[in-house]
Amino acid sequence: MPAKDAKAPAKAAARGTSELRRADAADALPPEEPDQIRNVALVGHSGAGKTMLAEALLAATGAISRKGSIAEGTTVGDSEPAAVHQQRSVALSVVPVTAGGIKVNLLDTPGYPDFVGELRAGLRAADAALFVVSAVDGIDAATTALWGECQRLGVPRAVVISRLDHPRADFDAALDRCQRAFGDSVVPLYLPVSKGTEVTGLLGLLSGTVSEQPPDNAPSVFRNTDDVERVASEAARGTLIEGIIAESEDESLMERYLDGEEIPQEVLVSDLETAVARGSFHPVIATSAETGVGLAELLEVMTRAFPAPTERPRPAVSHLDGAPAETPDCDPAAPLLGEVVRTTTDPFLGRVCLVRLFAGTLREDSAVHVAGRGLADRGHVDHDSDERVSHLYSPLGASLRPVPFSVAGDICALTKLGPAETGDTVSAKEFPLLIQPWEMPEPLLPVAVEAASHGDEDALARSLGKVAAGDPALRVERNAETHQLVLWCMGEAHADVVLGRLREQGVNLRTVDIVTPLRETFAAPAAGHGRHVKQSGGHGQYAVCDIEVEPLERGAGFEFVDKTVGGVIPGPFITSVEKGVRAQMQKGVSAGFPVVDIRVTLLGGKAHSVDSSDAAFQAAGALALRGAAAAGRIQLLEPVSAATIAVADEHVGAVMSDLSSRRARLTGTTSTGGDLTEISAEVPDQELVRYAVELRALTSGSGRFSRSYLRHEPVPPAAARTAAKD
């Protein structure tokens, strides 16, 4: 932090010495108090430099001997095969670093939109967010939207402008983009200092000192600013001081400052730290993971300005019966309360759960209660069980380091925790609780899969359960109408990761085309004659019935009316005719889809005193419906959803034109402010199969949509011919 700039030479030099690195590396004891912990989510678009920033911080604090490489797949955070293959993070990773006696759990989150479920999990476990913005590239719409969401929730935030070492890096342009996207409360604490085109250090705006990073990764060298640097930074310094004073609880500071009084640096830093911790002021730090510039300053911001777990609200909880409960304090002595934020499967250790502890202390051999509720619609069955913690670890990426205990506010890893899944609550056995689930986006890209052979079906079911347990963004559905196994994913990259994880577990599967659950109905009244007569020795089969079929309004369902007279069909067999009609309706009468919205009237028929039976009249009823279909006109019905598409104003025209090409019926547009528009439309489900991918391409990744089933409507003739072929 700026307050330490004047004393920084000695401290910064110590941070880089081998003695401190050995101490950090050898210090395996976990924190004993929540105040010694910071949980920080690294967020930002893919390619912004989050993973390499975490890697550089690990190396700078001595947690690892040298930085890994994304291209070579050797980083601590991205060890999963899918991440190595895609050259980007695909899952949440916990990377702890220690600085100044504070353990900082860095939660490296994926930046690609397909992995927003992992991002949500990281934000749930964090108490502050570090927005990483590349000095080379712009800020995508998803990052801007995430900033607004964090603002609504009061999450403390800071901004890191990364990749200063890149030849096209432009700090001023990146800062301008940040301020336009995030607001005027985004203010730099330091300015880059360059020699030629190379950034060599940072100028502290409050202290007036410059820290220069030698090229050989030696400790930073500090000096006072020269006259040119002082004049060039004066405007930025004034903006910073005015921003800090505006957030101060001391209302006299602004008047004193305007009167020309020099506000003590200690006062400014104290007010700055308070404003950052409460989420109203957002410092900007420039960094380079390659050269090490800004890493010491960033560590100081995270350890001093970001809040400890005790300063942040805990999630709402309830008793197992759903009754509201009081959330325990973030105190090691309180009853245990934690949440599983990620679940993976290790070939040797089995299921591994990352748990954020909100209260209490977890020790080996502790008895805990594991509960999961509210995700049945995504394929996660509600469950409760009492378990015993056999092994307790501190995670470092994919590595697990044994620890004797873990206190409130920390993040630990547990193995062999029974049926625990991502999103589950881990609480004291004596005081079982349920944490309110975090908000998850709806997966909207369906991928139909099937086992490659009959022998692979059991393996697919087992492995799919393991994959789904660790991926709350994935929804598993067995469609009741089409009987397809459908994996609802966030996008193609997410689908690739899910399928890859299944295949890594030895499952032979293939993807197949999605079948849209069409239905059939009668377009006009029709008559049908059903005659089921067989004589083959012994009791024969005899049943005759005549029916009339009429179409009903959409959604009216099925009606069966008996208009027989004179007992031509005995009463019990009338019910049999209805059963036969209903059974045939489920099988379909034209293209093999269920028949809906019809009235069937039984007009007459014949029965035999010996040979008539329930089975015979069921068969006659089915034949009569098929006969009516052959004589009449059948209409295919397709599902139609109400879709709401949120897009930037600049993309409204393109999106509306695209919707028109999808046979959509536009029902309205609404301006939601902030250059965003919501488009409402009724769209056939067949046109939405890949819309999650195509909308993203159409809107440069900024478009979002939601959908809900509305009704079934007649399929246009051209589309009906295509559906019939499929």
Short mmCIF file of all heavy atoms in Angstrom, two decimals, residues 5-39:
data_model
loop_
_atom_site.label_atom_id
_atom_site.label_comp_id
_atom_site.label_asym_id
_atom_site.label_seq_id
_atom_site.Cartn_x
_atom_site.Cartn_y
_atom_site.Cartn_z
N ASP A 5 5.27 2.99 1.17
CA ASP A 5 6.24 3.30 0.13
C ASP A 5 7.52 3.91 0.70
O ASP A 5 8.61 3.60 0.26
CB ASP A 5 5.63 4.28 -0.89
CG ASP A 5 4.69 3.55 -1.84
OD1 ASP A 5 4.71 2.30 -1.81
OD2 ASP A 5 3.96 4.21 -2.59
N ALA A 6 7.37 4.79 1.69
CA ALA A 6 8.55 5.45 2.24
C ALA A 6 9.48 4.45 2.92
O ALA A 6 10.68 4.60 2.93
CB ALA A 6 8.13 6.54 3.23
N LYS A 7 8.87 3.39 3.50
CA LYS A 7 9.68 2.39 4.19
C LYS A 7 9.89 1.15 3.32
O LYS A 7 10.46 0.18 3.75
CB LYS A 7 8.97 1.96 5.49
CG LYS A 7 8.72 3.12 6.45
CD LYS A 7 7.99 2.63 7.68
CE LYS A 7 7.69 3.76 8.65
NZ LYS A 7 6.95 3.32 9.83
N ALA A 8 9.41 1.23 2.11
CA ALA A 8 9.39 0.03 1.29
C ALA A 8 10.74 -0.52 0.90
O ALA A 8 10.85 -1.72 0.72
CB ALA A 8 8.56 0.29 0.03
N PRO A 9 11.78 0.27 0.72
CA PRO A 9 13.03 -0.32 0.25
C PRO A 9 13.48 -1.50 1.09
O PRO A 9 13.77 -2.56 0.57
CB PRO A 9 14.01 0.85 0.33
CG PRO A 9 13.16 2.06 0.11
CD PRO A 9 11.87 1.75 0.78
N ALA A 10 13.48 -1.35 2.40
CA ALA A 10 13.94 -2.44 3.26
C ALA A 10 12.99 -3.61 3.19
O ALA A 10 13.39 -4.76 3.08
CB ALA A 10 14.07 -1.94 4.70
N LYS A 11 11.66 -3.30 3.24
CA LYS A 11 10.69 -4.39 3.26
C LYS A 11 10.66 -5.13 1.93
O LYS A 11 10.61 -6.35 1.87
CB LYS A 11 9.30 -3.86 3.58
CG LYS A 11 8.28 -4.97 3.66
CD LYS A 11 7.10 -4.56 4.48
CE LYS A 11 6.19 -5.76 4.69
NZ LYS A 11 5.10 -5.50 5.58
N ALA A 12 10.67 -4.38 0.84
CA ALA A 12 10.62 -5.03 -0.47
C ALA A 12 11.87 -5.86 -0.70
O ALA A 12 11.81 -6.93 -1.28
CB ALA A 12 10.47 -3.98 -1.57
N ALA A 13 12.98 -5.36 -0.26
CA ALA A 13 14.21 -6.13 -0.41
C ALA A 13 14.11 -7.43 0.37
O ALA A 13 14.50 -8.48 -0.11
CB ALA A 13 15.40 -5.29 0.05
N ALA A 14 13.56 -7.35 1.57
CA ALA A 14 13.43 -8.56 2.37
C ALA A 14 12.50 -9.57 1.71
O ALA A 14 12.73 -10.77 1.75
CB ALA A 14 12.90 -8.20 3.76
N ARG A 15 11.42 -9.05 1.06
CA ARG A 15 10.47 -9.96 0.45
C ARG A 15 11.13 -10.81 -0.63
O ARG A 15 10.76 -11.93 -0.89
CB ARG A 15 9.31 -9.16 -0.15
CG ARG A 15 8.26 -10.03 -0.79
CD ARG A 15 7.10 -9.20 -1.31
NE ARG A 15 6.30 -8.70 -0.21
CZ ARG A 15 5.87 -7.46 -0.12
NH1 ARG A 15 6.17 -6.59 -1.03
NH2 ARG A 15 5.15 -7.08 0.93
N GLY A 16 12.12 -10.25 -1.30
CA GLY A 16 12.74 -10.99 -2.39
C GLY A 16 13.93 -11.84 -1.98
O GLY A 16 14.51 -12.51 -2.79
N THR A 17 14.34 -11.80 -0.72
CA THR A 17 15.54 -12.52 -0.31
C THR A 17 15.27 -14.01 -0.20
O THR A 17 14.15 -14.45 -0.02
CB THR A 17 16.02 -12.02 1.08
OG1 THR A 17 14.99 -12.27 2.02
CG2 THR A 17 16.35 -10.55 1.03
N SER A 18 16.34 -14.78 -0.28
CA SER A 18 16.19 -16.23 -0.20
C SER A 18 15.73 -16.66 1.19
O SER A 18 15.04 -17.65 1.33
CB SER A 18 17.53 -16.91 -0.53
OG SER A 18 18.54 -16.48 0.36
N GLU A 19 16.11 -15.87 2.24
CA GLU A 19 15.68 -16.24 3.59
C GLU A 19 14.16 -16.23 3.70
O GLU A 19 13.56 -17.14 4.26
CB GLU A 19 16.28 -15.28 4.62
CG GLU A 19 17.78 -15.45 4.86
CD GLU A 19 18.61 -14.84 3.75
OE1 GLU A 19 18.04 -14.06 2.95
OE2 GLU A 19 19.80 -15.16 3.67
N LEU A 20 13.53 -15.20 3.15
CA LEU A 20 12.08 -15.11 3.25
C LEU A 20 11.42 -16.18 2.40
O LEU A 20 10.42 -16.78 2.78
CB LEU A 20 11.61 -13.72 2.81
CG LEU A 20 10.09 -13.48 2.96
CD1 LEU A 20 9.68 -13.69 4.40
CD2 LEU A 20 9.72 -12.10 2.48
N ARG A 21 12.01 -16.47 1.24
CA ARG A 21 11.43 -17.51 0.40
C ARG A 21 11.47 -18.85 1.10
O ARG A 21 10.53 -19.63 1.04
CB ARG A 21 12.18 -17.58 -0.94
CG ARG A 21 11.96 -16.35 -1.82
CD ARG A 21 12.52 -16.53 -3.19
NE ARG A 21 12.26 -15.38 -4.02
CZ ARG A 21 12.46 -15.32 -5.31
NH1 ARG A 21 12.95 -16.39 -5.92
NH2 ARG A 21 12.20 -14.24 -6.00
N ARG A 22 12.56 -19.15 1.76
CA ARG A 22 12.64 -20.43 2.49
C ARG A 22 11.63 -20.46 3.62
O ARG A 22 11.00 -21.47 3.87
CB ARG A 22 14.06 -20.63 3.02
CG ARG A 22 15.08 -21.03 1.95
CD ARG A 22 16.30 -21.66 2.61
NE ARG A 22 16.98 -20.73 3.48
CZ ARG A 22 17.94 -19.92 3.10
NH1 ARG A 22 18.32 -19.93 1.83
NH2 ARG A 22 18.52 -19.10 3.93
N ALA A 23 11.44 -19.33 4.27
CA ALA A 23 10.48 -19.30 5.38
C ALA A 23 9.07 -19.51 4.87
O ALA A 23 8.29 -20.27 5.45
CB ALA A 23 10.58 -17.96 6.11
N ASP A 24 8.74 -18.84 3.75
CA ASP A 24 7.41 -19.01 3.20
C ASP A 24 7.18 -20.45 2.77
O ASP A 24 6.12 -21.02 2.98
CB ASP A 24 7.20 -18.09 1.99
CG ASP A 24 7.04 -16.63 2.42
OD1 ASP A 24 6.77 -16.44 3.60
OD2 ASP A 24 7.20 -15.74 1.57
N ALA A 25 8.18 -21.04 2.13
CA ALA A 25 8.01 -22.40 1.62
C ALA A 25 7.91 -23.41 2.75
O ALA A 25 7.20 -24.39 2.66
CB ALA A 25 9.18 -22.75 0.69
N ALA A 26 8.65 -23.16 3.83
CA ALA A 26 8.66 -24.12 4.93
C ALA A 26 7.46 -23.97 5.85
O ALA A 26 7.13 -24.86 6.60
CB ALA A 26 9.95 -23.96 5.74
N ASP A 27 6.82 -22.81 5.78
CA ASP A 27 5.71 -22.53 6.70
C ASP A 27 4.45 -23.22 6.21
O ASP A 27 3.67 -22.67 5.45
CB ASP A 27 5.48 -21.01 6.78
CG ASP A 27 4.42 -20.67 7.82
OD1 ASP A 27 4.05 -21.57 8.58
OD2 ASP A 27 3.98 -19.50 7.85
N ALA A 28 4.28 -24.50 6.63
CA ALA A 28 3.13 -25.28 6.18
C ALA A 28 1.97 -25.22 7.16
O ALA A 28 0.93 -25.79 6.90
CB ALA A 28 3.55 -26.73 5.95
N LEU A 29 2.16 -24.56 8.30
CA LEU A 29 1.09 -24.50 9.27
C LEU A 29 -0.02 -23.59 8.78
O LEU A 29 0.23 -22.49 8.28
CB LEU A 29 1.62 -23.99 10.61
CG LEU A 29 2.57 -24.94 11.36
CD1 LEU A 29 3.07 -24.26 12.63
CD2 LEU A 29 1.86 -26.24 11.70
N PRO A 30 -1.27 -24.02 8.91
CA PRO A 30 -2.38 -23.19 8.44
C PRO A 30 -2.62 -22.03 9.39
O PRO A 30 -2.19 -22.05 10.56
CB PRO A 30 -3.56 -24.17 8.45
CG PRO A 30 -3.22 -25.16 9.52
CD PRO A 30 -1.72 -25.31 9.46
N PRO A 31 -3.31 -20.98 8.93
CA PRO A 31 -3.64 -19.86 9.82
C PRO A 31 -4.51 -20.33 10.99
O PRO A 31 -5.32 -21.24 10.84
CB PRO A 31 -4.42 -18.90 8.91
CG PRO A 31 -4.07 -19.31 7.52
CD PRO A 31 -3.80 -20.77 7.57
N GLU A 32 -4.32 -19.71 12.12
CA GLU A 32 -5.11 -20.07 13.30
C GLU A 32 -6.29 -19.15 13.51
O GLU A 32 -7.19 -19.46 14.28
CB GLU A 32 -4.21 -20.06 14.55
CG GLU A 32 -3.09 -21.09 14.51
CD GLU A 32 -2.29 -21.11 15.79
OE1 GLU A 32 -2.57 -20.27 16.69
OE2 GLU A 32 -1.39 -21.96 15.92
N GLU A 33 -6.29 -17.97 12.85
CA GLU A 33 -7.36 -17.00 13.01
C GLU A 33 -7.84 -16.52 11.63
O GLU A 33 -7.04 -16.39 10.70
CB GLU A 33 -6.90 -15.79 13.84
CG GLU A 33 -6.50 -16.13 15.26
CD GLU A 33 -7.68 -16.59 16.10
OE1 GLU A 33 -8.84 -16.22 15.76
OE2 GLU A 33 -7.45 -17.32 17.07
N PRO A 34 -9.13 -16.24 11.49
CA PRO A 34 -9.65 -15.73 10.21
C PRO A 34 -8.99 -14.43 9.76
O PRO A 34 -8.90 -14.17 8.56
CB PRO A 34 -11.14 -15.54 10.48
CG PRO A 34 -11.44 -16.47 11.62
CD PRO A 34 -10.21 -16.49 12.46
N ASP A 35 -8.53 -13.62 10.72
CA ASP A 35 -7.90 -12.35 10.35
C ASP A 35 -6.60 -12.54 9.58
O ASP A 35 -6.09 -11.58 8.98
CB ASP A 35 -7.61 -11.52 11.62
CG ASP A 35 -8.89 -10.99 12.24
OD1 ASP A 35 -9.92 -11.00 11.54
OD2 ASP A 35 -8.85 -10.56 13.41
N GLN A 36 -6.05 -13.75 9.60
CA GLN A 36 -4.82 -14.04 8.88
C GLN A 36 -5.08 -14.57 7.47
O GLN A 36 -4.18 -15.07 6.82
CB GLN A 36 -3.99 -15.07 9.67
CG GLN A 36 -3.59 -14.61 11.06
CD GLN A 36 -2.98 -15.72 11.88
OE1 GLN A 36 -3.39 -16.88 11.79
NE2 GLN A 36 -1.96 -15.38 12.66
N ILE A 37 -6.32 -14.43 7.00
CA ILE A 37 -6.73 -15.02 5.72
C ILE A 37 -7.37 -13.95 4.83
O ILE A 37 -8.09 -13.08 5.31
CB ILE A 37 -7.74 -16.17 5.94
CG1 ILE A 37 -7.12 -17.26 6.83
CG2 ILE A 37 -8.21 -16.75 4.61
CD1 ILE A 37 -8.14 -18.26 7.34
N ARG A 38 -7.09 -14.02 3.54
CA ARG A 38 -7.80 -13.23 2.54
C ARG A 38 -8.20 -14.19 1.41
O ARG A 38 -7.38 -15.00 0.96
CB ARG A 38 -6.94 -12.10 1.96
CG ARG A 38 -6.37 -11.14 2.99
CD ARG A 38 -7.45 -10.27 3.61
NE ARG A 38 -6.85 -9.29 4.52
CZ ARG A 38 -6.63 -9.50 5.82
NH1 ARG A 38 -6.94 -10.68 6.35
NH2 ARG A 38 -6.09 -8.56 6.57
N ASN A 39 -9.42 -14.09 0.96
CA ASN A 39 -9.91 -14.91 -0.14
C ASN A 39 -10.24 -13.99 -1.32
O ASN A 39 -11.15 -13.17 -1.23
CB ASN A 39 -11.15 -15.70 0.27
CG ASN A 39 -10.85 -16.71 1.37
OD1 ASN A 39 -9.97 -17.55 1.22
ND2 ASN A 39 -11.57 -16.62 2.48
#
